[in-house]
Amino acid sequence: MNPKTLRSLSRGLSLASLLLAIPLWALIVRLSGLPKFILPSPADVWTRFLVALQDGSLLRHTAFTLTEILLGLFVGVCFSTVVGYALAKSRALETVFAPYLIASQAIPVVAIAPLLVIWLGNGILSKVIICSLIVFFPVLVNTIIGVRAVSQSLYDLMNSLRASRWQILFKLELPASLPVLLGGLRIGATLSVIGAIIGELVGAQRGLGFLLQLGNFQYDTSMVFVAVFMLIALALSLYGAVALLEKIFIKT
Amino acid sequence: MPPFLSVRNLSLVYPDNNGGLRALDDLSFEIRPREFVCFLGPSGSGKTTFLRLLAGILSPSAGEVNFADSRQPKVGMVFQQANLMPWRNVLQNVILPLELEGADKNEARVKAREMIELVGLKGFEDSLPRDLSGGMAQRVGIARALVHDPDLLLLDEPFASLDALTRERMWTELSNIWQAQQKTVVMVTHSINESLFLADRVLVLTQRPGRIKLDLNVDLPRPRNDDVRYTSHFGKLAKELRGAIE
């Protein structure tokens, strides 16, 4: 068998195993006889999904959460790559800031999320900040590793050709560390979904986290399932988007 | 003819906890325009350091490096490993020096293709470095070092990482390229054969701290081919160099 058919076969198998979970779930619901507000059947969830889709609420809330995620990811990634680059280039800066960075990791973002909502209100700002905080560290670490790994002899080459600082940044450091940077972004993208949901659960009037909590309070468990599946879809799409970037930009 | 490059009392000390590591000690010499000069020395004689000084990547601790028109010349450098950018294909790697100079894109392309052809890699323009053999990658490095028409070509043991047969073939190729391009070349190596085959002049460096032990004029006729290595004169020069190396 050639690798291509093998790959499509294994992809087909993963899909089949996923699809198999649905009848299994339906079977469990039927056999256990659990009420709908404890464990809804796939059909219930599907119907709830269609209703939420039709009244526009699902898309509205998803769009809101997605905006928070993308803004948070953007702010977090921009900030952490700039800081990471500075730390990678300067041992002195690293020595000064390392304790803060490590301490910041010791504080769970979940624990300070309520504080941020109190300080920044329950609008979009607090969610964006929570998102970027959770994204910050992995991207920062990857930036430092990526920039430090650029080979000294390539720096020698650029210097022997009298390259400017900007040329070294854009023609050497950025492309050389891109694989590691995108690796950080990949982790960051999935974490940012968690960040947005934490923010929304703590206090929000919109978003999938809000929908989740609403469903919870109203014993609309099907709605909770719909929200959870939407979140999974969001996380997977973001992950896929980063994987696509890697495919486009990384040839080696 | 005024010298292309004159080095006076050049010293380099690397700072360390022990009062500094003396890499080069009081070097003085001159290099004429279009001369091919080889620095021969054991490992740890500061050869690479010395090239980095000439390339202007490092500054000397004492002494001075002066160029003919008292400006830093355009430099082309070939490294021990090919030192290519793995994310760029052959053409993009070769074009880099022109790109940094801000040269016209189309002209740069034409020039780079010419160089790729000169080093015998026509047809490999779109290949990535990982798909090249060691010898091919090193040729790309040589093309890259020549593409922007540098005043000074610096070679840092360029063939050390190649197998013996490829290495000898590359000597002939480099020799031909040099004859065609007529650049001033400074090469460091630890191979006596290599230095004699390629250079007009060989300077032997001592163990660290590097000093000049011998300045030997290589009066072998050009163009040189493989046969020159089996002449008695070659043997005599090789013996003299061997004697000077500790």
Side-chain angles (χ1 to χ4, degrees), chain A:
Chain A
M1 239 186 297
N2 70 40
K4 209 168 178 183
T5 40
L6 204 68
R7 206 177 320 140
S8 55
L9 191 75
S10 78
R11 204 170 282 170
L13 270 175
S14 325
L15 198 67
S17 90
L18 272 180
L19 288 178
L20 203 69
I22 295 173
L24 196 68
W25 167 16
L27 194 70
I28 291 171
V29 172
R30 172 144 317 177
L31 289 181
S32 63
L34 287 169
K36 200 174 151 185
F37 68 86
I38 304 252
L39 182 66
S41 74
D44 292 334
V45 174
W46 179 249
T47 318
R48 190 67 187 85
F49 170 72
L50 289 180
V51 169
L53 201 62
Q54 257 154 18
D55 67 17
S57 63
L58 184 62
L59 287 184
R60 204 173 57 243
H61 288 291
T62 307
F64 191 68
T65 302
L66 187 62
T67 313
E68 290 168 359
I69 291 171
L70 291 179
L71 281 176
L73 198 58
F74 179 74
V75 172
V77 167
C78 286
F79 197 54
S80 56
T81 37
V82 171
V83 174
Y85 184 76
L87 294 187
K89 295 304 260 186
S90 159
R91 293 270 170 198
L93 275 183
E94 199 195 5
T95 319
V96 172
F97 284 108
Y100 289 99
L101 292 171
I102 294 164
S104 79
Q105 273 318 284
I107 306 167
V109 176
V110 190
I112 55 165
L115 276 181
L116 289 170
V117 173
I118 291 169
W119 291 338
L120 304 170
N122 60 358
I124 191 165
L125 183 62
S126 56
K127 281 75 186 176
V128 170
I129 298 297
I130 292 168
C131 239
S132 42
L133 279 179
I134 212 167
V135 163
F136 182 76
F137 199 70
V139 178
L140 176 91
V141 170
N142 277 45
T143 308
I144 295 177
I145 294 172
V147 173
R148 290 248 165 97
V150 178
S151 101
Q152 182 55 47
S153 39
L154 281 175
Y155 277 114
D156 278 359
L157 172 74
M158 294 300 270
N159 286 327
S160 77
L161 293 169
R162 313 277 169 263
S164 67
R165 271 207 79 83
W166 288 109
Q167 286 176 326
I168 290 180
L169 176 62
F170 286 110
K171 296 194 189 290
L172 173 59
E173 289 169 332
L174 197 62
S177 50
L178 199 59
V180 189
L181 286 182
L182 285 177
L185 188 61
R186 199 195 273 239
I187 303 167
T190 31
L191 283 179
S192 66
V193 177
I194 299 176
I197 291 309
I198 292 172
E200 287 175 355
L201 285 177
V202 169
Q205 256 88 56
R206 287 185 290 180
L208 285 172
F210 167 74
L211 215 56
L212 204 78
Q213 209 158 32
L214 196 68
N216 193 15
F217 289 156
Q218 299 177 343
Y219 283 97
D220 185 358
T221 313
S222 306
M223 188 63 237
V224 176
F225 270 75
V226 169
V228 168
F229 282 127
M230 274 319 278
L231 284 172
I232 294 174
L234 270 187
L236 285 179
S237 328
L238 282 172
Y239 191 85
V242 180
L244 192 69
L245 283 180
E246 288 182 341
K247 213 166 190 172
I248 294 170
F249 286 114
I250 300 169
K251 284 170 259 171
T252 43

Side-chain angles (χ1 to χ4, degrees), chain B residues 56-235:
Chain B
I57 301 170
L58 273 181
S59 308
S61 314
E64 48 191 67
V65 178
N66 286 314
F67 291 94
D69 37 9
S70 56
R71 60 173 183 96
Q72 186 69 30
K74 232 198 246 184
V75 168
M77 202 163 176
V78 181
F79 299 79
Q80 285 179 30
Q81 308 291 331
N83 200 18
L84 304 176
M85 294 179 167
W87 59 90
R88 287 179 168 234
N89 66 23
V90 168
L91 183 69
Q92 291 165 336
N93 262 295
V94 173
I95 238 169
L96 179 78
L98 296 171
E99 203 178 301
L100 297 179
E101 280 177 2
D104 175 78
K105 277 208 168 99
N106 289 321
E107 280 172 36
R109 243 160 215 286
V110 172
K111 195 86 215 299
R113 282 182 195 283
E114 270 173 35
M115 276 303 145
I116 292 168
E117 198 172 346
L118 180 74
V119 298
L121 285 178
K122 197 174 165 60
F124 289 93
E125 286 86 351
D126 298 328
S127 305
L128 286 173
R130 58 153 188 225
D131 297 326
L132 302 176
S133 70
M136 288 160 85
Q138 199 51 279
R139 275 177 232 223
V140 177
I142 292 171
R144 179 180 60 189
L146 289 168
V147 74
H148 56 311
D149 198 23
D151 311 306
L152 175 63
L153 188 59
L154 299 173
L155 309 173
D156 184 5
E157 299 191 42
F159 311 128
S161 60
L162 305 179
D163 64 86
L165 286 173
T166 313
R167 187 183 312 144
E168 286 173 19
R169 202 160 55 234
M170 298 285 288
W171 292 352
T172 320
E173 281 179 22
L174 178 63
S175 186
N176 292 339
I177 290 170
W178 177 76
Q179 297 247 311
Q181 300 261 327
Q182 292 288 308
K183 307 261 174 230
T184 309
V185 181
V186 177
M187 171 164 163
V188 301
T189 179
H190 56 245
S191 159
I192 293 175
N193 281 345
E194 186 166 289
S195 62
L196 282 178
F197 189 83
L198 290 167
D200 296 320
R201 219 170 114 207
V202 181
L203 289 97
V204 179
L205 289 176
T206 60
Q207 204 51 272
R208 183 172 283 158
R211 284 194 200 91
I212 293 172
K213 180 100 177 271
L214 176 72
D215 185 342
L216 182 77
N217 201 30
V218 182
D219 48 358
L220 296 164
R222 285 189 189 272
R224 295 173 194 162
N225 56 29
D226 260 358
D227 298 337
V228 79
R229 287 164 49 209
Y230 305 102
T231 59
S232 63
H233 192 50
F234 191 97

